[in-house]
Amino acid sequence: MIKLKDIKSLYLSELCDELAVIDLPKFRAKQVFKWLTDGVTSFDEMTNLSLPLREKLSRIYYIANAQIERKLESKRDETVKYLFSFGGTTFVEAVVMKYHHGYTMCISTQEGCKMGCTFCATGRNGFKRNLTASEMLSQIQTAQKDLGIRISNIVLMGMGEPLDNYDNVIRFLRLVSSDDGLNVGIRHISLSTCGLVDKIYDLEKENLGITLSVSLHAPNDDIRNQTMPVNKRWNVDELLKACRYYSEKTKRRISFEYAMIDGVNDGDECAKELGKKLKGMLCHVNLIPVNTVEGTGYKKSKIERQKSFINILSHYGITATVRRTLGSDINASCGQLAGKRNQ
């Protein structure tokens, strides 16, 4: 059986080279690329190509497509959560959020996750596989078609650790920001990592201009070791050293994600320790009242604790805000739909 090639993960230059092998001129490749950017799910939809050519392409390539398995719409705001499938075997989640500046979409980069963070629903479901660049693109295309909107901001913060799927993620970033592609401004894209230090150094060399968001969640190794196994490979000091390097080289502000867990990491001493370690860095801290995930026993910090944390960080010159909660009535944090799809 012939294995079909993933056509939507190709750059335009690569597609031109590929189709030249079957004697197609560059303008034909550009037509095909335009159709793929528009989100067609079948070669039959490429109506300005001849039927024989469409049939020929379908014998060589396949077009990735994110199919909607479930869709939840918030009654409190306009947040929409999707459970997508690819081929009926791979299931991932994505969330579309409306802000005053437009629509932001949080997409998945893996089915499941290897990192095992104790407060995360995705990690509790185990890791299955990496997503391709085309599957990441397809999440955006399917949501845009379904909602009749344009996604202007992208966050790689859904299921999976983006830097653990490095090559596919970099390819996606270049494709989605391409002038010939979806043309999403690269500075409107954020990538979240739990702290793969070696890949942060690699990412800086890519010269992409994206915003790096780091899931820190603790000011020291004692606490971070309990909640984030990755810290046993790269500790807090190693991670923050890489972040300082990234920020200084790219001139981009680092965004630190800090899940506020009642009685675990939300005390004044934690805030002081964090402030000392981040002092002088071009950064911002997003405080996130921890999501209620069955089996963890974690509870979100009280509002008084959140305010105190912000005030203490401000003394060290660090700006911090509590992230606005969207889609709370539909469990908009990723991992919870996929884990329950067979229940």
Side-chain angles (χ1 to χ4, degrees):
M1 184 177 176
I2 298 174
K3 185 177 180 180
L4 299 179
K5 297 180 182 180
D6 176 9
I7 193 170
K8 198 157 68 176
S9 287
L10 297 175
Y11 299 132
L12 177 57
S13 59
E14 293 174 331
L15 185 59
C16 289
D17 291 342
E18 283 259 343
L19 298 189
V21 174
I22 57 174
D23 299 322
L24 288 184
K26 185 176 287 188
F27 83 90
R28 285 293 185 205
K30 288 182 177 179
Q31 286 177 326
V32 172
F33 193 85
K34 177 65 165 56
W35 283 115
L36 295 171
T37 298
D38 289 346
V40 298
T41 59
S42 166
F43 290 105
D44 291 335
E45 296 174 61
M46 300 182 180
T47 52
N48 57 354
L49 304 183
S50 68
L51 180 58
L53 176 54
R54 282 179 269 159
E55 291 175 342
K56 187 173 187 177
L57 290 173
S58 66
R59 291 194 294 269
I60 304 172
Y61 302 101
Y62 74 92
I63 301 174
N65 176 38
Q67 298 171 300
I68 300 173
E69 295 290 330
R70 288 190 66 189
K71 175 182 175 183
L72 301 179
E73 299 176 79
S74 174
K75 293 187 173 90
R76 298 177 184 173
D77 47 58
E78 296 183 50
T79 300
V80 179
K81 183 172 184 177
Y82 291 101
L83 176 65
F84 292 129
S85 75
F86 297 98
T89 57
T90 297
F91 296 85
V92 301
E93 296 176 32
V95 180
V96 175
M97 297 156 284
K98 185 178 181 181
Y99 294 94
H100 67 277
H101 53 72
Y103 290 91
T104 294
M105 186 167 185
C106 178
I107 68 166
S108 293
T109 57
Q110 296 178 314
E111 183 184 20
C113 185
K114 303 173 189 174
M115 300 300 115
C117 301
T118 59
F119 46 79
C120 176
T122 298
R124 295 167 70 83
N125 299 328
F127 172 78
K128 295 186 174 60
R129 74 170 178 88
N130 288 327
L131 297 188
T132 63
S134 60
E135 289 169 332
M136 295 176 221
L137 284 170
S138 295
Q139 295 172 59
I140 298 166
Q141 292 169 324
T142 296
Q144 288 188 149
K145 278 188 175 182
D146 181 57
L147 298 174
I149 60 170
R150 182 180 187 275
I151 301 297
S152 57
N153 295 267
I154 300 169
V155 183
L156 281 71
M157 201 183 288
M159 294 171 64
E161 162 57 58
L163 295 185
D164 187 45
N165 186 15
Y166 189 85
D167 291 341
N168 285 323
V169 164
I170 295 300
R171 180 169 284 271
F172 161 76
L173 291 171
R174 297 195 187 283
L175 281 168
V176 78
S177 61
S178 166
D179 291 342
D180 300 306
L182 291 182
N183 196 25
V184 176
I186 197 72
R187 292 183 179 272
H188 295 281
I189 302 176
S190 298
L191 181 150
S192 177
T193 178
C194 68
L196 305 191
V197 168
D198 57 339
K199 297 301 183 184
I200 291 175
Y201 286 113
D202 289 343
L203 185 64
E204 181 275 321
K205 295 173 187 173
E206 300 287 349
N207 196 30
L208 284 168
I210 62 171
T211 297
L212 181 63
S213 185
V214 177
S215 296
L216 188 60
H217 306 312
N220 58 55
D221 293 331
D222 288 341
I223 298 175
R224 204 164 191 263
N225 284 341
Q226 296 173 34
T227 56
M228 302 183 72
V230 69
N231 199 68
K232 296 173 183 177
R233 174 66 180 86
W234 293 285
N235 65 29
V236 170
D237 288 342
E238 290 175 298
L239 174 57
L240 294 183
K241 180 181 177 182
C243 290
R244 283 187 184 274
Y245 178 86
Y246 184 91
S247 178
E248 289 169 3
K249 286 289 186 178
T250 63
K251 312 300 181 188
R252 299 285 288 164
R253 184 177 71 167
I254 300 280
S255 177
F256 288 105
E257 310 297 322
Y258 197 100
M260 296 286 284
I261 307 172
D262 183 41
V264 176
N265 65 351
D266 63 348
D268 287 351
E269 289 305 312
C270 284
K272 291 174 185 176
E273 189 173 4
L274 182 63
K276 290 175 184 177
K277 290 188 175 182
L278 298 185
K279 188 175 181 179
M281 191 188 305
L282 182 61
C283 67
H284 177 267
V285 177
N286 275 320
L287 299 180
I288 309 165
V290 72
N291 293 308
T292 302
V293 177
E294 187 177 338
T296 65
Y298 293 142
K299 295 180 181 178
K300 64 180 63 177
S301 300
K302 297 176 177 61
I303 293 177
E304 293 75 19
R305 282 282 84 228
Q306 297 172 27
K307 290 179 178 178
S308 178
F309 214 91
I310 290 172
N311 288 335
I312 291 171
L313 288 179
S314 70
H315 290 314
Y316 293 90
I318 307 299
T319 60
T321 53
V322 177
R323 177 178 289 171
R324 177 184 169 200
T325 300
L326 294 177
S328 58
D329 57 325
I330 56 171
N331 289 327
S333 59
C334 282
Q336 302 186 66
L337 259 188
K340 296 182 178 180
R341 65 181 179 82
N342 292 322
Q343 295 181 12

